[in-house]
Amino acid sequence: MYDKNNIFAKILRGEIPCKKIYESANVLAFYDVNPQKKIHALVIPKGEYMDLDDLNSKASAEEMVELIKAITIVAKKIGISDLVKGGGYRALVNVGENGGQEVPHLHFHIFGGEKIGKMVS
Ligand code: 5GP
């Protein structure tokens, strides 16, 4: 069951601050508080979805499209999407314990600003 007290739920309710990058009707994007690469952003749905399976079974098509589109919008906004100008980035989702998910609210990580390196370690 979705935990309404997870940290991203608190950010969405404005109870905890974030460095906002982008917001739309169904999506919020902000910088990760503990960046793992030079640029590290997070893109989250506003809806209460724990992970991709939860999104798939409960979200509207509109919410899903908006979420995926937000990844490219955010990458562009933070200046890491222009491949001609040395851009490029990695978007990834951790799901569950084996996937390394710590916050139980679906989120896409966006890493950029430098070579991201090995896909998994
Ligand atoms: P996960 O391991 O669940 O895929 O990633 C959770 C991410 O959330 C981590 O990269 C962590 O640094 C980030 N995070 C945890 N708490 C906060 C917070 O309060 N604010 C922000 N902006 N990021 C957070």
Side-chain angles (χ1 to χ4, degrees):
M1 210 174 73
Y2 182 82
D3 170 15
K4 286 179 184 290
N5 281 320
N6 77 73
I7 205 93
F8 293 167
K10 289 180 180 175
I11 286 175
L12 283 167
R13 288 196 295 269
E15 293 166 11
I16 288 177
C18 71
K19 260 181 86 181
K20 185 159 65 167
I21 300 167
Y22 169 77
E23 183 169 13
S24 67
N26 294 302
V27 174
L28 180 68
F30 49 90
Y31 287 102
D32 196 292
V33 78
N34 181 26
Q36 301 299 308
K37 290 290 168 190
K38 200 164 174 185
I39 295 175
H40 185 175
L42 297 167
V43 178
I44 72 173
K46 288 186 177 175
E48 296 180 343
Y49 308 119
M50 292 183 287
D51 54 31
L52 286 173
D53 289 330
D54 207 20
L55 181 86
N56 193 33
S57 55
K58 296 181 190 154
S60 66
E62 194 184 345
E63 285 174 287
M64 291 195 210
V65 168
E66 214 176 297
L67 184 60
I68 298 300
K69 279 190 172 175
I71 294 170
T72 57
I73 293 169
V74 168
K76 199 168 186 179
K77 235 181 153 179
I78 59 182
I80 58 173
S81 68
D82 190 339
L83 302 186
V84 177
K85 290 184 183 155
Y89 58 92
R90 180 171 300 155
L92 74 82
V93 184
N94 295 323
V95 178
E97 202 179 331
N98 277 4
Q101 182 177 8
E102 285 171 5
V103 178
H105 181 111
L106 174 63
H107 48 283
F108 281 83
H109 294 262
I110 301 180
F111 301 107
E114 62 181 325
K115 287 250 188 299
I116 303 308
K118 262 180 79 172
M119 193 158 76
V120 287
S121 56

